[in-house]
Amino acid sequence: MYYECLLYADDIVLMSPSLKDLQCMLDICFQTACDMSLQFNCSKSHCMVVGRVIAVQVQSMLLDTHIHWYQSIKYLGVYVVSRKTRPSVSPMKRAFYVTCDSIFSNTDGLNEMVLLSLQEAYSLSILMYVAPALHLSAKQTNELNEYFDTINASPFVLYIHT
């Protein structure tokens, strides 16, 4: 199935097979925002080409002002990289370890079950946040499972299945 627009809270992703159609979608967004007395933050707006691209000059897109083109973007905590078929799980793993380190460094002497509960509530959610929406390879899924297993010493293990 093809989706042209993904929305989550105030995050919007517009997808188009052509630059002309993308600019038309941006014009509609701009006009709708004006009608509702809202404004897009163009410094947080990004354009990116996904997939194989012939080396041509890509025209600027406008949403009140020019939108810059990037090789990767972050959406809902996941980095999407142009010319890759799989999303990168490295930022998720980094965020996971930061959360684990924060919990371990601030919970000295805490009951093991409480510590496990904190890890599952905060650290695991980092790995699981967008995992169901991604089409992760078996290797990526196993990699994320291994990361949670490294801090989980109890028999309560939750695995990601795709």
Side-chain angles (χ1 to χ4, degrees):
M1 294 184 74
Y2 174 69
Y3 297 96
E4 292 180 331
C5 182
L6 301 175
L7 302 167
Y8 184 82
D10 64 346
D11 292 324
I12 302 171
V13 173
L14 301 175
M15 295 174 280
S16 173
S18 75
L19 294 175
K20 181 181 175 186
D21 289 345
L22 179 58
Q23 185 59 61
C24 182
M25 293 166 77
L26 290 170
D27 293 343
I28 292 168
C29 287
F30 180 72
Q31 186 57 52
T32 302
C34 288
D35 293 346
M36 299 175 70
S37 298
L38 298 173
Q39 187 175 3
F40 281 93
N41 184 346
C42 291
S43 67
K44 291 184 176 182
S45 299
H46 307 81
C47 286
M48 182 179 78
V49 176
V50 178
R52 292 181 221 192
V53 179
I54 299 171
V56 295
Q57 182 67 28
V58 181
Q59 70 188 37
S60 293
M61 298 284 104
L62 293 174
L63 180 67
D64 187 31
T65 187
H66 291 280
I67 301 174
H68 298 287
W69 289 87
Y70 293 86
Q71 295 295 314
S72 68
I73 59 170
K74 183 178 178 181
Y75 182 68
L76 300 179
V78 175
Y79 286 87
V80 180
V81 182
S82 65
R83 296 178 188 88
K84 275 193 169 183
T85 57
R86 294 275 178 210
S88 173
V89 294
S90 295
M92 291 166 50
K93 293 186 295 188
R94 264 193 306 278
F96 171 75
Y97 273 124
V98 167
T99 306
C100 289
D101 288 344
S102 177
I103 290 171
F104 284 134
S105 66
N106 292 298
T107 56
D108 190 34
L110 200 61
N111 177 294
E112 189 176 294
M113 291 306 290
V114 173
L115 184 60
L116 176 62
S117 179
L118 287 170
Q119 289 293 354
E120 288 182 339
Y122 294 102
S123 302
L124 184 60
S125 65
I126 298 288
L127 294 179
M128 296 293 294
Y129 181 56
V130 294
L134 302 175
H135 295 287
L136 299 176
S137 67
K139 179 182 176 186
Q140 288 174 313
T141 301
N142 290 336
E143 192 174 347
L144 292 180
N145 285 329
E146 289 170 10
Y147 274 80
F148 189 68
D149 287 344
T150 61
I151 59 98
N152 188 3
S154 80
F156 304 104
V157 179
L158 181 59
Y159 282 96
I160 302 166
H161 294 285
T162 57

